[in-house]
């Protein structure tokens, strides 16, 4: 711990820290552009000059490049240092356009801040500024190259940190530019980070271009609702419209960055068709009438047919408090159990994890720090995009990575790959002798043995998986493998991507309720007569939509609480509008068991149509806010149960009744959150039977999530509508040739999930014997709910699409 | 496909030579450019990138960085006229005007028949034989307007004449230029006959530690410009570890006024190879590189040919002279970037990247090429190694002055009667050097003694100067590379300053703000001053900027222009002020 003096104050910092970081520890910000905590120092901007007055080095130095040493005396305010900083700002302003009044970055621009702070106000130089043509980079990121100050942050983020291939540095001298080789959409799923890291307005969020000034927007610390990782975000809203999302520092989760789904997929909150008014039997009502009528009907059904007459279904999308309130409603109705997920296999997989995880859970930071990774049945781009980025950081630091997955490799790092379903391999890994499973080829056996040895030798090994492909059995095998690879004092961790942002919390609250199939059987048998769906859409998420549709048709009362215009909501007798995550306070438990709070950014309501868009100013004046009725799910449910509560009370109750959630009491949005103290369930571990395999000669169909448009939120976000990949059926070239199908030719796909005619896409990375589709809302694959694992399918040459 | 299958195979083969395929990017782009008629457009870059498995953006970023890579079609003959300071002093401007007139185009344009593209370039490393015109990859030196006309006539007939330059040289040491006049010296047999490779044989019998100790004892100071002791540099290598060690010869001679390394490589290539091999043995390296500036393509061929001869004679390879030692050499062409003469930029470039200097530390000795321990030494430094090993440090130290030992090649250009390269011990007086070069044409006004990046001296300051590192430092300048640029009373110092600034602004890598913006700003100010549109404030601004830039940049390039420009303005201020109305 070197101790040094900066601006006459002493500070001790960890060995290896730079002077800039040491100053930061004192609360002194040394102005800088190119340095970034996650990207390190490159010494390009030359702004962070300080004067080192004593110690191993002397004179004017770059604070980001000089390691803090014992006995150093540093001045950040010496005339030489401030003079150099002033000079650097002047250099940068030589070429920077004076377009702050029309620049989207204005108000949150580091260059603007530094220029004002440094006192540079008069242009002395009389020459021309250098100018560049701008590139069209697709629907998300706007480029305005003239504003560039050549800090290299963008390329270090896009290429080095995120592993993107299509973006780089071009040119030389004072004509250095950053962009793509040719104009075109940025290919990386992490492209939006350019907006966050650029210290000036070269890269701005195109989806909100010219919509708002940063000081006109509301924002609050939030947690990304687009997958189970719980990345830290800042949603920004203006005039009751969720305009954009930017990355927030999440040391245990995302670090600083976000994936494009999390950043650009939040338009669902502004969806024009979203439920905004309580509706019962086709009539719009006020809250009191709607709640009164529903309470009466639910109570009557319970009285008449017993507590089992009302089914309760939630999903990983609902907040922890809302899921709890659903349980309280069940209690109020005499003990109706809660079903956690509309997809029974997903439900069982999540519950298996939550029951057995104990202290083995690993978050993104653990993955970044790992020295050996195995990705078994995980497709990060679809299930948890940021997990791939975390794994990439580990690999960049020298970690070894292996992948066991039949799907094509889309990872931003190199890994040894066995293109098979991971189940048999995990089973072998979990066995004490670890002998390779039968049926592997020689190279695969070698690869398996090498991976196992590496996992055993590693200091911080982590197994990564996806609940969707693994299913309950696979999850248990992954857990067993992690235990088998652990030894006293050194655990092998586990990081599993789950279906929704609070899948973990939901399963924690009801570890052993029925699953959706049991619920459907109850409806079919006439036992269950009413169903309350909390932010759950069984029609789209259950693997047998036809069965769901028939069952829903039998119900006497279907109540849907949601903020999305889902298929199930369209069928419901009653729709109760809820708020989206950005419109409420709440908490999620992420995939690794970290409880994190999020705060309300703005109040729900119809976005104000700003004048000047060709429309007349609004002429209607009313005392209420249009569209303000959506309420948090927990509030609606508590009212429905007849026991309205405040959020604090609900949290306190939850913290009391569930000791593992004790941290909820002091939870602060924007804080680090609380890692839950989990014990593996003491109960005997059930032996999950193997799933029915796919017969010889049949292809195994995998329906998975895509980056955009597969999960219900981003599927309803306007900015990503144009970029969702085209519906297609991926086959490995050998299988396609056997079936007589070529690239782009139509094929008819039949499976238990449904039938569709799709163009064939040849995927050389896909293991033979598999067919792959990405579910997308609004297309022929809408019914192909992911999460079902491999199922049998038949493929033949298709007719007209 | 744009690239012919043979070319693809050739690129593949080159890629296989390097520890990392990416390093083949520059050679591949050179090959592609040559076979595609002088320019590689987007599709060609894409193909090269795919052969090497590189992201397209990275390949394009590299291509757009280097001056020698053309992205737009050019004429059949690309006429590149060196116009920087030594060339300017030798009349390059008049030649440019002449060429523009006879070709009917301006610099930067192509004749309507597509035969000629005329460009001006910043320094071709031929300061003693200026004006020099590079036609495609050949040099035509000692040009006059009449000779240029003759050349154009040949070119129009489709012939590239084989003209040899007339260069003056001399040596009082007979070490580095010992075989300069021997037309057969490039041949291995001749080299051996004149005592070559005896040092290598001796070195094979010594331990690496003994070799390093010998070079340390000789106090051999790096001849690239900084004068850092080579033996000490070698001693910085980590003592342990199993990472490979790389030995790089810096042959990216590109600073105006400097044309000395060329003399060794072109006329005595085995001397360099021997020195490099011994250095490789000393530092425990098995692979060495000669990073040579792209314009010297024919010299690279000479070196490659010499290396092949050495390989045949088992002087290189995995069992040198049957003694079980291993060392191999790869000759690697740069592509026109002055900054790549800085060792970390050179390493980046050798890795197939944009030649932007790295932040130090880590120094190359601990993390250099491919992250491995690396030593980078200048050509002339390495060429001194055989004599040290063969005759011992003591003999070497007999030459020169205290702390400044050994022979040095001084390249003398500008206003002297016999510009050329002269080898003398360090500490030789400047007056003697000038006398050997035939004396100053006219009256000496100012002199730059160590290449363009050192502070200029007035005639009075230069009188009696001893040409060694310490004496030059004491005189307020630096010995640098020993490139002496002589200016007589007809020279306009503001014009020299402007030309110098054109060089540095052109060569800034663009990485850090003070250099990339500062160089262009100083350039703009000087342009205005020289054009007679400047003001007193502009002179102040130049001085202010130079003061600010000094010591503020990531690599020494900022100092390389701010220090000499400041000196020119300060020492010849009346001339600048005379331009202000």
């Amino acid at each position: 711990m070197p101790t040094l003096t900066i601006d006459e104050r002493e500070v001790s910092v960890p060995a290896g820290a730079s002077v800039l970081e040491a100053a930061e520890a004192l609360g002194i910000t040394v102005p800088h552009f190119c340095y970034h905590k996650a990207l390190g120092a490159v010494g390009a901007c030359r702004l962070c000059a300080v004067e080192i007055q004593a110690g191993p080095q002397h004179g004017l130095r770059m604070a980001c490049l000089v390691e803090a040493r014992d006995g150093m005396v540093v001045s950040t305010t010496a005339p030489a240092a401030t003079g150099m900083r002033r000079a650097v700002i002047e250099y940068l302003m030589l070429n920077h356009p004076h377009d702050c009044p029309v620049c989207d970055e204005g108000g949150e621009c580091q260059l603007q801040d530094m220029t004002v702070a440094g006192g540079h106000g008069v242009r002395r130089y009389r020459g021309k500024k250098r100018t560049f043509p701008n590139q069209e980079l697709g629907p998300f990121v706007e480029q305005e190259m003239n504003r560039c100050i050549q800090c290299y942050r963008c390329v270090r983020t896009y290429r080095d940190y995120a592993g993107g291939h299509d973006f780089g540095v071009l040119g030389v001298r004072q004509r250095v530019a950053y962009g793509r080789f040719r104009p075109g959409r940025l290919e990386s799923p992490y492209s939006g980070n350019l907006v966050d890291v650029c210290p000036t307005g070269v890269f701005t969020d195109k989806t909100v271009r010219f919509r708002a000034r940063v000081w006109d927007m509301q924002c609050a610390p939030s947690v990304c609702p687009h997958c189970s990782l719980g990345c830290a975000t800042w949603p920004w809203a203006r005039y009751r419209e969720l305009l954009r999302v930017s990355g927030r520092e999440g040391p245990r989760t995302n670090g600083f960055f976000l994936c494009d789904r999390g950043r650009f997929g939040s338009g669902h909150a502004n969806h024009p068709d979203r439920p905004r008014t309580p509706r019962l039997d086709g009539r719009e009502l006020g809250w009191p009438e709607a709640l009164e009528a529903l309470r009466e009907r639910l109570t009557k059904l319970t009285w008449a047919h017993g507590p089992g007459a009302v089914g309760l279904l939630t999903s990983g999308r609902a907040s922890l408090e809302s899921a709890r309130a659903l349980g309280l409603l069940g209690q109020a109705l005499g003990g109706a159990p809660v079903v956690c997920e509309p997809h029974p296999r997903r439900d069982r997989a999540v519950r298996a994890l939550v029951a057995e995880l104990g202290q083995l859970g690993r978050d993104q930071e653990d993955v970044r720090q790992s020295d050996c990774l195995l990705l078994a049945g995980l497709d990060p781009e679809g299930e948890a995009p940021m997990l791939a980025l975390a794994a990439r950081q580990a690999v960049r630091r020298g970690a070894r990575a292996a992948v066991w997955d039949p799907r094509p490799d889309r990872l931003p790092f190199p890994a040894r790959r066995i293109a098979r379903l991971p189940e048999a391999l995990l089973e072998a890994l979990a066995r004490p002798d670890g002998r390779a499973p039968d049926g592997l080829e020689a190279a695969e056996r070698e690869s398996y043995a090498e991976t196992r040895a590496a996992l055993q030798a590693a200091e911080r090994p982590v197994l990564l998986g996806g609940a969707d492909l693994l299913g309950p059995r696979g999850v248990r095998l992954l857990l067993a493998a992690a235990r088998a690879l652990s030894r006293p004092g050194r655990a092998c961790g586990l990081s599993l991507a789950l279906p929704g942002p609070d899948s973990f919390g939901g399963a924690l609250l009801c570890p052993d309720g029925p699953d959706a199939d049991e619920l459907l059987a109850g409806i079919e048998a006439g036992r269950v007569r009413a169903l309350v769906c909390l932010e759950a859409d069984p029609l789209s998420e259950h693997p047998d939509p036809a069965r769901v549709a028939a069952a829903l048709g039998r119900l006497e009362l279907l109540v849907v609480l949601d903020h999305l215009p889902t298929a199930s909501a369209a069928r419901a007798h009653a729709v109760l509008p809820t708020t989206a995550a950005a419109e409420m306070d709440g908490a999620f438990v992420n995939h690794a068991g970290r409880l994190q709070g999020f705060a309300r950014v703005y109040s729900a309501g119809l976005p104000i149509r700003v004048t000047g868009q060709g429309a007349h100013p609004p002429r209607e004046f009313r005392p209420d806010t249009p569209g303000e009725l959506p309420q948090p799910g927990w509030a609606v449910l508590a009212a429905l149960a007849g026991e309205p509560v405040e959020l604090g009370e609900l949290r306190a109750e939850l913290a009391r009744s569930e000791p593992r959630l004790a941290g909820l009491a002091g939870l602060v949005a924007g804080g680090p959150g609380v890692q839950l103290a989990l014990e593996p369930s003491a109960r005997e571990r059930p032996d999950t039977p193997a799933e029915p395999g796919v017969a010889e000669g049949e292809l195994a169909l995998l329906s998975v999530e895509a980056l955009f448009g597969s999960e219900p939120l981003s599927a309803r976000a306007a900015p990503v509508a144009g970029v969702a990949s085209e519906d297609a059926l991926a086959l490995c070239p050998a299988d396609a040739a056997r079936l007589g199908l070529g690239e782009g030719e139509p094929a008819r796909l039949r499976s238990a999930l449904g039938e569709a005619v799709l163009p064939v896409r040849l995927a050389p990375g896909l293991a033979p014997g598999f067919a792959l589709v990405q579910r997308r809302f609004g297309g022929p694959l809408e019914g192909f709910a992911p999460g079902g694992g491999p199922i049998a399918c038949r493929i033949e040459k298709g007719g007209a699409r | 496909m744009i690239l012919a299958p043979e070319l693809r195979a050739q690129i593949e083969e080159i890629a296989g030579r390097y520890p990392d395929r990416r390093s083949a990017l520059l050679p591949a782009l050179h090959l592609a450019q040559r076979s595609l008629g002088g320019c590689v457009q987007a599709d060609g870059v894409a193909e090269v990138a795919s052969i090497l498995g590189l992201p397209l953006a990275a390949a394009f970023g590299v291509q757009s960085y280097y001056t020698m890579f053309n992205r737009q079609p050019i004429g059949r003959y690309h006429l590149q006229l060196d116009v920087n300071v030594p060339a300017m002093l030798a009349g390059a401007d008049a030649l440019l005007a002449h060429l523009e007139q006879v070709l009917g185009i301006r610099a930067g344009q192509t004749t309507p028949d597509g035969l000629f593209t005329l460009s001006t370039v910043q320094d071709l490393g031929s300061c003693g034989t200026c004006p020099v015109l590079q036609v495609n990859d050949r040099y035509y030196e000692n040009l006059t307007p009449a000779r240029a006309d003759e050349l154009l006539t040949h070119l129009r007939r489709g012939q590239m004449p084989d003209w040899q330059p007339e260069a003056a040289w001399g040596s009082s040491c007979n070490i580095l230029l010992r075989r300069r006049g021997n037309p057969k010296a490039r041949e291995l047999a001749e080299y051996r006959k004149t005592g070559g490779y005896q040092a290598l044989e001796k070195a094979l019998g010594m331990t690496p530690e003994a070799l390093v100790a010998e070079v340390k004892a000789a106090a051999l100071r790096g001849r690239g410009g900084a004068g850092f002791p080579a033996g000490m540099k070698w001693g910085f290598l980590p003592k342990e570890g199993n990472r490979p060690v790389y030995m790089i010869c810096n042959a990216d001679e590109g600073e105006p006024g400097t044309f000395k390394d060329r003399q060794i490589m072109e006329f005595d290539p085995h001397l360099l190879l021997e020195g490099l091999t011994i250095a490789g043995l000393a530092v425990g390296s098995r692979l060495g590189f000669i990073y040579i500036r792209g314009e010297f393509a024919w010299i690279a061929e000479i070196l490659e040919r010499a290396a092949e001869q050495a390989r045949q004679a088992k002087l290189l390879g995995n069992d040198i002279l049957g003694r079980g030692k291993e060392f191999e050499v790869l000759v690697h062409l740069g592509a026109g970037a002055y900054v790549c003469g800085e060792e970390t930029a050179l390493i980046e470039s050798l890795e197939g990247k944009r030649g932007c200097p790295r932040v130090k530390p880590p120094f190359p000795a601990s993390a250099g090429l491919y992250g491995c321990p690396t030593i980078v030494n200048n050509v002339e430094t390495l060429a001194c190694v055989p004599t040290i090993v063969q005759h011992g440090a003591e003999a070497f130290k007999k030459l020169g002055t205290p702390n400044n030992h050994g022979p040095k090649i001084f390249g003398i250009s500008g206003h002297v009667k016999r510009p050329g390269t002269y080898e003398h011990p360090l500490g030789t007086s400047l007056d003697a050097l000038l006398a050997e070069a035939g004396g100053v044409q006219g009256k000496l006004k100012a002199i730059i003694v160590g290449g363009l990046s050192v502070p200029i001296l007035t005639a009075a300051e230069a009188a009696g100067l001893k040409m060694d590192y310490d004496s030059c430092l004491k005189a307020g300048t630096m010995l640098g590379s020993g490139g002496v640029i002589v200016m007589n009373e007809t020279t306009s110092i503001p014009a020299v300053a402007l030309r110098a600034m054109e060089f540095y602004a052109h060569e800034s890598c663009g990485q850090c703000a003070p250099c990339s913006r500062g160089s262009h700003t100083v350039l703009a100010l000087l342009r205005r001053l020289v054009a007679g549109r400047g003001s007193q404030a502009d002179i102040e601004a130049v001085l202010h900027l130079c003061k600010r830039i000094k010591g503020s940049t990531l690599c020494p390039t900022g100092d390389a222009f701010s220090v000499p420009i400041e000196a020119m303005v300060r020492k010849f201020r009346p001339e600048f002020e005379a331009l202000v109305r």
Side-chain angles (χ1 to χ4, degrees), chain B residues 86 88-91 412-419 434 437 439-444 446 484-492:
Chain B
M88 175 183 106
L89 298 176
I412 306 180
S413 59
H415 294 140
V416 288
K417 296 199 180 81
R418 292 197 319 126
L434 293 179
V440 180
Q441 284 180 333
K443 186 167 167 282
L444 182 66
V484 180
I485 306 172
V486 181
M487 288 161 268
N488 68 11
E489 79 286 354
T490 65
T491 314
S492 154

Side-chain angles (χ1 to χ4, degrees), chain B residues 242-556:
Chain B
N242 49 8
R243 291 179 300 165
V245 176
Y246 295 109
M247 181 74 222
I248 300 176
C249 168
N250 184 347
D252 193 48
E253 176 169 71
E255 181 165 298
T258 308
F259 54 110
K260 62 182 179 74
D261 294 339
R262 193 184 148 177
Q263 312 302 324
I264 298 168
M265 296 188 286
E266 195 174 354
F267 300 103
D268 202 358
H270 284 287
L271 179 65
L272 173 61
L273 285 175
E274 185 177 5
L276 180 60
T277 308
I278 296 171
L281 296 176
V283 302
S285 168
R286 290 176 177 177
L287 183 57
F289 296 89
I290 300 176
Y291 183 99
I292 182 166
R293 61 178 297 181
E295 293 85 347
F296 285 170
W298 85 95
I299 302 182
E301 279 170 25
I302 291 170
L303 286 168
E304 263 167 4
R305 192 166 159 272
E308 187 50 38
Q309 287 178 346
R311 234 169 261 140
Q312 298 294 335
K314 295 209 129 209
L315 293 158
L316 282 177
N318 52 17
D319 184 17
I320 297 173
L321 294 174
R323 306 281 280 277
K325 295 275 176 66
E326 184 180 339
F327 191 71
E328 193 43 82
V329 171
L330 281 178
V331 179
H332 187 98
L333 267 189
Y338 163 71
V339 180
C340 292
E342 195 278 337
E343 59 181 2
T344 58
L346 184 153
I347 287 169
E348 285 279 300
S349 178
L350 189 47
E351 288 181 358
K353 299 174 185 164
R354 299 160 54 85
C356 293
R358 294 178 182 172
V359 168
K360 292 196 257 189
F363 289 90
S366 52
L369 187 63
Y370 314 126
C372 296
T374 303
I375 294 293
V376 185
N377 283 137
N378 171 259
V379 172
E380 196 184 354
T381 315
L382 290 170
C384 287
V385 170
T387 185
I388 294 173
V389 169
Q390 197 175 348
H391 305 295
E394 283 315 307
F396 186 80
K397 285 174 92 168
K398 288 206 180 92
L399 287 177
T401 52
N403 199 30
N404 296 269
H405 305 290
K408 175 87 194 82
I409 303 178
F410 299 97
I412 306 180
S413 59
H415 294 140
V416 288
K417 296 199 180 81
R418 292 197 319 126
T421 41
Y422 301 94
E423 180 194 9
H424 293 294
L426 279 170
T428 301
S429 83
L430 179 60
D431 299 334
L433 280 179
L434 293 179
E436 190 178 13
V440 180
Q441 284 180 333
K443 186 167 167 282
L444 182 66
K445 175 178 183 180
I447 193 159
I448 296 170
V449 297
L452 198 57
S453 62
V454 310
I456 195 167
L457 296 178
T458 61
E461 287 170 323
L465 180 68
K466 272 191 175 177
M467 292 293 281
D468 63 41
Y469 296 101
D470 298 337
S471 307
C472 286
L473 211 53
K474 226 175 280 167
T477 183
M478 285 180 286
L479 182 66
S481 61
V484 180
I485 306 172
V486 181
M487 288 161 268
N488 68 11
E489 79 286 354
T490 65
T491 314
S492 154
I493 300 299
V496 171
L498 171 60
R499 207 52 72 91
M501 219 38 245
E502 274 170 358
F503 174 78
Y504 290 105
H506 185 268
E507 298 302 338
S508 170
C509 80
Q511 193 174 203
C512 72
C515 173
S516 71
R517 316 299 201 290
S519 63
H520 277 260
T521 311
V522 175
L523 174 62
L525 292 167
L526 287 174
R527 271 205 184 123
R528 206 154 59 206
L529 281 165
V530 171
R533 291 183 280 111
S535 65
Q536 197 70 31
D538 290 336
I539 300 175
E540 290 304 330
V542 169
L543 286 173
H544 174 78
L545 274 165
C546 288
K547 192 168 143 247
R548 277 268 169 252
I549 293 163
K550 198 167 30 176
S552 75
T553 53
L554 195 152
C555 82

Side-chain angles (χ1 to χ4, degrees), chain A residues 43 46 94 150 169 171 173 181, chain B residues 61 64 354 506 517 552-553:
Chain A
R46 318 306 285 177
L94 289 177
Q150 276 79 27
V169 196
R173 299 187 275 286
F181 172 61
Chain B
S64 64
R354 299 160 54 85
H506 185 268
R517 316 299 201 290
S552 75
T553 53

Side-chain angles (χ1 to χ4, degrees), chain B residues 16-36:
Chain B
R17 291 182 204 165
Y18 291 90
D20 182 338
R21 292 170 63 82
R22 180 172 183 155
S23 287
L25 182 54
L26 260 59
L29 287 171
H30 274 304
L31 278 176
Q33 178 159 314
R34 209 168 300 156
S35 82
L36 295 175

Side-chain angles (χ1 to χ4, degrees), chain A residues 650-738:
Chain A
L650 184 62
R651 283 184 166 182
E653 184 278 326
L654 196 44
R656 271 196 311 277
S657 61
E658 171 52 84
R660 290 175 293 182
L661 294 173
L664 203 50
L667 190 68
V668 184
V674 180
Q675 180 65 42
L676 302 186
L678 299 167
E679 291 292 327
S681 157
R683 283 174 306 169
E684 198 172 315
R685 292 184 183 113
D687 196 20
T688 316
E691 291 169 338
V694 175
E696 195 78 22
E698 276 185 322
L699 286 169
L701 176 69
L702 294 170
S703 178
V704 302
E705 293 192 341
L707 179 63
F708 300 116
S710 288
E711 38 80 56
L713 299 179
S714 79
R716 293 173 175 89
V720 301
V723 295
S725 56
E726 204 189 315
D727 292 313
L729 172 68
L731 291 171
C732 87
D735 285 334
R738 196 166 46 74

